[in-house]
PDB file of all heavy atoms in Angstrom:
ATOM      1  N   LEU A 374      -4.942  -3.538  -3.884  1.00 98.00           N
ATOM      2  CA  LEU A 374      -6.318  -3.066  -3.764  1.00 98.00           C
ATOM      3  C   LEU A 374      -6.590  -2.072  -4.879  1.00 98.00           C
ATOM      4  O   LEU A 374      -5.858  -1.083  -5.029  1.00 98.00           O
ATOM      5  CB  LEU A 374      -6.548  -2.407  -2.403  1.00 98.00           C
ATOM      6  CG  LEU A 374      -7.915  -1.755  -2.185  1.00 98.00           C
ATOM      7  CD1 LEU A 374      -9.031  -2.793  -2.258  1.00 98.00           C
ATOM      8  CD2 LEU A 374      -7.956  -1.022  -0.841  1.00 98.00           C
ATOM      9  N   VAL A 375      -7.621  -2.324  -5.661  1.00 98.00           N
ATOM     10  CA  VAL A 375      -8.012  -1.430  -6.753  1.00 98.00           C
ATOM     11  C   VAL A 375      -9.366  -0.825  -6.407  1.00 98.00           C
ATOM     12  O   VAL A 375     -10.311  -1.540  -6.079  1.00 98.00           O
ATOM     13  CB  VAL A 375      -8.113  -2.193  -8.091  1.00 98.00           C
ATOM     14  CG1 VAL A 375      -8.479  -1.234  -9.219  1.00 98.00           C
ATOM     15  CG2 VAL A 375      -6.799  -2.909  -8.400  1.00 98.00           C
ATOM     16  N   LEU A 376      -9.456   0.497  -6.468  1.00 97.00           N
ATOM     17  CA  LEU A 376     -10.689   1.203  -6.147  1.00 97.00           C
ATOM     18  C   LEU A 376     -11.270   1.808  -7.410  1.00 97.00           C
ATOM     19  O   LEU A 376     -10.653   2.658  -8.049  1.00 97.00           O
ATOM     20  CB  LEU A 376     -10.413   2.299  -5.106  1.00 97.00           C
ATOM     21  CG  LEU A 376      -9.806   1.814  -3.785  1.00 97.00           C
ATOM     22  CD1 LEU A 376      -9.473   3.008  -2.888  1.00 97.00           C
ATOM     23  CD2 LEU A 376     -10.762   0.863  -3.064  1.00 97.00           C
ATOM     24  N   ASP A 377     -12.456   1.361  -7.787  1.00 96.00           N
ATOM     25  CA  ASP A 377     -13.088   1.790  -9.036  1.00 96.00           C
ATOM     26  C   ASP A 377     -14.009   2.979  -8.789  1.00 96.00           C
ATOM     27  O   ASP A 377     -15.215   2.833  -8.633  1.00 96.00           O
ATOM     28  CB  ASP A 377     -13.870   0.616  -9.635  1.00 96.00           C
ATOM     29  CG  ASP A 377     -14.467   0.958 -11.000  1.00 96.00           C
ATOM     30  OD1 ASP A 377     -14.009   1.936 -11.618  1.00 96.00           O
ATOM     31  OD2 ASP A 377     -15.378   0.242 -11.439  1.00 96.00           O
ATOM     32  N   GLY A 378     -13.408   4.170  -8.734  1.00 88.00           N
ATOM     33  CA  GLY A 378     -14.207   5.386  -8.666  1.00 88.00           C
ATOM     34  C   GLY A 378     -14.717   5.770  -7.301  1.00 88.00           C
ATOM     35  O   GLY A 378     -15.844   6.277  -7.183  1.00 88.00           O
ATOM     36  N   VAL A 379     -13.941   5.564  -6.245  1.00 93.00           N
ATOM     37  CA  VAL A 379     -14.348   6.009  -4.903  1.00 93.00           C
ATOM     38  C   VAL A 379     -14.345   7.536  -4.860  1.00 93.00           C
ATOM     39  O   VAL A 379     -13.349   8.177  -5.194  1.00 93.00           O
ATOM     40  CB  VAL A 379     -13.411   5.428  -3.829  1.00 93.00           C
ATOM     41  CG1 VAL A 379     -13.676   6.078  -2.470  1.00 93.00           C
ATOM     42  CG2 VAL A 379     -13.595   3.921  -3.740  1.00 93.00           C
ATOM     43  N   GLN A 380     -15.456   8.119  -4.442  1.00 92.00           N
ATOM     44  CA  GLN A 380     -15.630   9.571  -4.481  1.00 92.00           C
ATOM     45  C   GLN A 380     -15.382  10.260  -3.143  1.00 92.00           C
ATOM     46  O   GLN A 380     -15.086  11.456  -3.107  1.00 92.00           O
ATOM     47  CB  GLN A 380     -17.066   9.898  -4.941  1.00 92.00           C
ATOM     48  CG  GLN A 380     -17.445   9.308  -6.288  1.00 92.00           C
ATOM     49  CD  GLN A 380     -16.811  10.041  -7.444  1.00 92.00           C
ATOM     50  OE1 GLN A 380     -16.392  11.179  -7.307  1.00 92.00           O
ATOM     51  NE2 GLN A 380     -16.741   9.389  -8.585  1.00 92.00           N
ATOM     52  N   ASP A 381     -15.536   9.558  -2.062  1.00 93.00           N
ATOM     53  CA  ASP A 381     -15.457  10.153  -0.729  1.00 93.00           C
ATOM     54  C   ASP A 381     -14.024  10.090  -0.202  1.00 93.00           C
ATOM     55  O   ASP A 381     -13.468   8.998  -0.062  1.00 93.00           O
ATOM     56  CB  ASP A 381     -16.393   9.384   0.210  1.00 93.00           C
ATOM     57  CG  ASP A 381     -16.522  10.031   1.575  1.00 93.00           C
ATOM     58  OD1 ASP A 381     -15.598  10.764   1.985  1.00 93.00           O
ATOM     59  OD2 ASP A 381     -17.542   9.800   2.251  1.00 93.00           O
ATOM     60  N   PRO A 382     -13.402  11.238   0.113  1.00 93.00           N
ATOM     61  CA  PRO A 382     -12.023  11.227   0.611  1.00 93.00           C
ATOM     62  C   PRO A 382     -11.869  10.479   1.938  1.00 93.00           C
ATOM     63  O   PRO A 382     -10.813   9.917   2.222  1.00 93.00           O
ATOM     64  CB  PRO A 382     -11.674  12.712   0.756  1.00 93.00           C
ATOM     65  CG  PRO A 382     -12.995  13.411   0.871  1.00 93.00           C
ATOM     66  CD  PRO A 382     -13.930  12.614   0.011  1.00 93.00           C
ATOM     67  N   HIS A 383     -12.938  10.470   2.754  1.00 94.00           N
ATOM     68  CA  HIS A 383     -12.878   9.720   4.004  1.00 94.00           C
ATOM     69  C   HIS A 383     -12.776   8.223   3.723  1.00 94.00           C
ATOM     70  O   HIS A 383     -12.034   7.498   4.398  1.00 94.00           O
ATOM     71  CB  HIS A 383     -14.115  10.012   4.866  1.00 94.00           C
ATOM     72  CG  HIS A 383     -14.185  11.423   5.365  1.00 94.00           C
ATOM     73  ND1 HIS A 383     -14.750  12.436   4.617  1.00 94.00           N
ATOM     74  CD2 HIS A 383     -13.743  11.993   6.521  1.00 94.00           C
ATOM     75  CE1 HIS A 383     -14.674  13.567   5.297  1.00 94.00           C
ATOM     76  NE2 HIS A 383     -14.063  13.343   6.450  1.00 94.00           N
ATOM     77  N   ASN A 384     -13.515   7.765   2.715  1.00 95.00           N
ATOM     78  CA  ASN A 384     -13.434   6.358   2.346  1.00 95.00           C
ATOM     79  C   ASN A 384     -12.069   6.015   1.764  1.00 95.00           C
ATOM     80  O   ASN A 384     -11.519   4.942   2.039  1.00 95.00           O
ATOM     81  CB  ASN A 384     -14.532   5.999   1.340  1.00 95.00           C
ATOM     82  CG  ASN A 384     -15.875   5.761   2.008  1.00 95.00           C
ATOM     83  OD1 ASN A 384     -15.950   5.547   3.211  1.00 95.00           O
ATOM     84  ND2 ASN A 384     -16.937   5.815   1.235  1.00 95.00           N
ATOM     85  N   LEU A 385     -11.517   6.909   0.943  1.00 96.00           N
ATOM     86  CA  LEU A 385     -10.187   6.661   0.387  1.00 96.00           C
ATOM     87  C   LEU A 385      -9.154   6.579   1.497  1.00 96.00           C
ATOM     88  O   LEU A 385      -8.320   5.660   1.516  1.00 96.00           O
ATOM     89  CB  LEU A 385      -9.808   7.771  -0.602  1.00 96.00           C
ATOM     90  CG  LEU A 385      -8.375   7.702  -1.140  1.00 96.00           C
ATOM     91  CD1 LEU A 385      -8.110   6.371  -1.829  1.00 96.00           C
ATOM     92  CD2 LEU A 385      -8.093   8.868  -2.076  1.00 96.00           C
ATOM     93  N   GLY A 386      -9.206   7.516   2.436  1.00 94.00           N
ATOM     94  CA  GLY A 386      -8.262   7.486   3.552  1.00 94.00           C
ATOM     95  C   GLY A 386      -8.385   6.215   4.363  1.00 94.00           C
ATOM     96  O   GLY A 386      -7.385   5.594   4.754  1.00 94.00           O
ATOM     97  N   ALA A 387      -9.629   5.785   4.610  1.00 96.00           N
ATOM     98  CA  ALA A 387      -9.857   4.557   5.374  1.00 96.00           C
ATOM     99  C   ALA A 387      -9.345   3.341   4.610  1.00 96.00           C
ATOM    100  O   ALA A 387      -8.790   2.406   5.199  1.00 96.00           O
ATOM    101  CB  ALA A 387     -11.338   4.407   5.694  1.00 96.00           C
ATOM    102  N   CYS A 388      -9.518   3.335   3.281  1.00 97.00           N
ATOM    103  CA  CYS A 388      -9.012   2.230   2.472  1.00 97.00           C
ATOM    104  C   CYS A 388      -7.483   2.161   2.518  1.00 97.00           C
ATOM    105  O   CYS A 388      -6.904   1.070   2.546  1.00 97.00           O
ATOM    106  CB  CYS A 388      -9.476   2.379   1.025  1.00 97.00           C
ATOM    107  SG  CYS A 388     -11.230   1.972   0.762  1.00 97.00           S
TER     108      CYS A 388
END
Side-chain angles (χ1 to χ4, degrees):
L374 175 63
V375 182
L376 302 175
D377 185 18
V379 170
Q380 303 285 340
D381 187 335
H383 294 86
N384 280 343
L385 174 58
C388 285

